[in-house]
Amino acid sequence: MSPTKWVGRGKDQLCHEIWQEVRSAVKQENPEAYLVGENWADASSYLQGDQWDGTMNYLGCSRPLRSWMGETDRFLCSGWGHSPEPTTCYTGFELAQALQSQLASIPAQMWYQQFNLLDSHDTPRLHNNTDIFEWDVYSGCVILMYLLPGMPNIYYGDEIGLAGPYGSVEASRYPMQWNKATWDERFLSLYAWLGTLRKEYADLLSTGSWKIVYTDEETFCFARYNGKQALLEYSIEQ
């Protein structure tokens, strides 16, 4: 959604002015408060240091990674993108361009506050798109979500490979499954390992630099580093 749809009517759009005032009031009460907004498209005008701290990062995480998997972008779909058709996968070059353009559009201080995600209450679970799902490519997307500047966010159930229908907003919100016999251990092990990695390299991943090391038609290689350590991740389309 675009925030401008919800603040003001017609020509009288006051969204930026209101968020500037909201930020000022909230930070006076608690300077450590975190303000995150929802915007499926380009939220850079809200991320200049005077409004939001972060956005639900569809543009710079969810949408490009889903395109890397071969899913049609939701903005090119009918029905709000809840039943995306398979399409030609992003190349490594296209993935790099999408990630770089979003990061370049906001101040560097804001990189580390973005709310990175794959799935949400409005987005079908990527792992349940059986038309395109491949474990090796999917796990690479999850790893990259954890390594991108910002904070990785797990939509409940993704950590266990929650099964369920596909094709509507309600299907994005089906209940958590608490019967452990139904859990997919591949997912649980992956997310547990990444949680440990985030703790082990907390300083590096909180403020470290980033670089796209290599791309080609089928490969994307990404690094996080500082003066002492580096983490390197690569994903190859099958």
Side-chain angles (χ1 to χ4, degrees), residues 196-207 229-231:
T196 300
L197 191 76
R198 289 285 304 193
K199 291 180 181 179
E200 183 177 354
Y201 295 93
D203 291 340
L204 169 62
L205 293 173
S206 294
T207 59
Q229 298 173 311
L231 290 171

Side-chain angles (χ1 to χ4, degrees), residues 64-65 67-68 88-101 212 215-217 219-220 237:
L65 290 182
S67 295
W68 172 247
T88 303
C89 299
Y90 262 11
T91 66
F93 305 117
E94 289 171 322
L95 178 58
Q97 183 181 43
L99 297 176
Q100 287 176 313
S101 62
I212 296 172
T215 61
D216 61 26
E217 289 292 327
T219 308
F220 178 84
E237 291 175 345

Side-chain angles (χ1 to χ4, degrees), residues 147-193:
L147 293 186
L148 285 171
M151 298 165 287
N153 290 269
I154 307 169
Y155 186 43
Y156 74 90
D158 281 358
E159 75 281 7
I160 61 166
L162 181 63
Y166 202 80
S168 69
V169 67
E170 291 80 12
S172 303
R173 305 171 184 177
Y174 40 82
M176 179 65 175
Q177 175 57 261
W178 297 108
N179 179 1
K180 293 185 178 181
T182 67
W183 294 4
D184 190 322
E185 292 295 331
R186 296 176 302 170
F187 289 76
L188 192 59
S189 296
L190 174 64
Y191 279 95
W193 171 66

Side-chain angles (χ1 to χ4, degrees), residues 2 8 71 79 87 90-91 108 117 142 181 187 215:
S2 171
E71 188 177 88
T87 190
Y90 262 11
T91 66
L117 73 167
V142 176
F187 289 76
T215 61

Side-chain angles (χ1 to χ4, degrees), residues 11-233:
K11 296 180 180 180
D12 298 321
Q13 294 296 336
L14 305 173
C15 201
H16 291 299
E17 292 87 343
I18 289 174
W19 275 110
Q20 288 167 349
E21 294 182 11
V22 169
R23 180 183 182 86
S24 178
V26 169
K27 297 295 184 177
Q28 285 180 22
E29 290 294 323
N30 180 6
E32 300 299 318
Y34 174 63
L35 288 171
V36 60
E38 182 180 21
N39 191 325
W40 294 345
D42 181 6
S44 59
S45 60
Y46 297 87
L47 299 171
Q48 299 301 313
D50 62 341
Q51 295 169 69
W52 300 347
D53 295 312
T55 184
M56 293 177 68
N57 199 9
Y58 290 99
L59 183 66
C61 185
S62 177
R63 289 171 60 192
L65 290 182
R66 296 174 81 102
S67 295
W68 172 247
M69 281 279 291
E71 188 177 88
T72 301
D73 187 273
R74 68 180 306 140
F75 276 37
L76 302 177
C77 298
S78 60
W80 292 83
H82 291 297
S83 298
E85 296 291 332
T87 190
T88 303
C89 299
Y90 262 11
T91 66
F93 305 117
E94 289 171 322
L95 178 58
Q97 183 181 43
L99 297 176
Q100 287 176 313
S101 62
Q102 191 271 343
L103 289 167
S105 70
I106 61 177
Q109 297 94 320
M110 308 299 288
W111 292 345
Y112 307 103
Q113 301 181 75
Q114 300 317 300
F115 186 102
N116 296 328
L117 73 167
L118 285 177
D119 303 331
S120 76
H121 63 292
D122 285 326
T123 307
R125 295 174 189 271
L126 180 58
H127 66 262
N128 283 333
N129 188 341
T130 56
D131 289 334
I132 64 169
F133 180 79
E134 292 183 22
W135 171 253
D136 289 341
V137 182
Y138 174 81
S139 59
C141 290
V142 176
I143 293 170
L144 186 55
M145 179 183 72
Y146 269 72
L147 293 186
L148 285 171
M151 298 165 287
N153 290 269
I154 307 169
Y155 186 43
Y156 74 90
D158 281 358
E159 75 281 7
I160 61 166
L162 181 63
Y166 202 80
S168 69
V169 67
E170 291 80 12
S172 303
R173 305 171 184 177
Y174 40 82
M176 179 65 175
Q177 175 57 261
W178 297 108
N179 179 1
K180 293 185 178 181
T182 67
W183 294 4
D184 190 322
E185 292 295 331
R186 296 176 302 170
F187 289 76
L188 192 59
S189 296
L190 174 64
Y191 279 95
W193 171 66
L194 288 169
T196 300
L197 191 76
R198 289 285 304 193
K199 291 180 181 179
E200 183 177 354
Y201 295 93
D203 291 340
L204 169 62
L205 293 173
S206 294
T207 59
S209 298
W210 61 274
K211 184 176 183 179
I212 296 172
V213 178
Y214 176 79
T215 61
D216 61 26
E217 289 292 327
E218 298 181 345
T219 308
F220 178 84
C221 186
F222 185 82
R224 294 293 305 276
Y225 63 94
N226 58 22
K228 298 180 180 180
Q229 298 173 311
L231 290 171
L232 185 69
E233 192 253 349

